[in-house]
Amino acid sequence: MRKHQLKKQIYQKELQIKKLHLHHSSSDICNQLYNTLILEKAVLKKELENLEKNPLLDKIKNILSKREKLICDYFKGV
C-alpha cells in the first residue's frame, strides 16, 4: 500500500512540475517552488527505491563486493 501511495505522490509532483515549468523563469517565487518540487520528487523516489530493496540481498552483495578487483574484472564483456 505504501508503494502505491508513493507512486501516486510522485506522479502528482510530476504534474505540478510540468505546470510550473511554463512559469519557471518568470519570477523568483516560481523558481523556488519549482526547485522545491524537484527536491520533493527526488526524496519520494528515494523512499520508493528503499522500499523496493531487499535487505538480505543487499547484505549478500556487500559481502561479495568486498573481494579485490582483478585487472581481468575490468575487461569482462569487452
Side-chain angles (χ1 to χ4, degrees), residues 61-72:
K61 283 181 182 178
N62 285 337
I63 290 170
L64 294 176
S65 68
K66 290 187 180 184
R67 72 175 182 88
E68 288 187 34
K69 291 234 179 220
L70 303 174
I71 291 176
C72 62

Side-chain angles (χ1 to χ4, degrees), residues 33-46:
L33 184 56
Y34 182 83
N35 291 337
T36 302
L37 288 171
I38 296 289
L39 288 173
E40 289 173 357
K41 179 183 165 192
V43 169
L44 290 171
K45 279 189 161 187
K46 186 64 177 176

Side-chain angles (χ1 to χ4, degrees), residues 1-44:
M1 186 64 158
R2 176 79 174 135
K3 287 182 186 180
H4 178 68
Q5 290 173 340
L6 283 173
K7 287 179 182 180
K8 186 177 178 181
Q9 288 177 338
I10 291 170
Y11 179 72
Q12 289 173 347
K13 295 293 178 193
E14 288 173 349
L15 289 177
Q16 292 173 348
I17 289 168
K18 285 180 183 178
K19 289 178 184 176
L20 249 175
H21 188 67
L22 299 173
H23 308 287
H24 179 64
S25 61
S26 62
S27 72
D28 288 336
I29 294 171
C30 288
N31 285 335
Q32 289 174 352
L33 184 56
Y34 182 83
N35 291 337
T36 302
L37 288 171
I38 296 289
L39 288 173
E40 289 173 357
K41 179 183 165 192
V43 169
L44 290 171

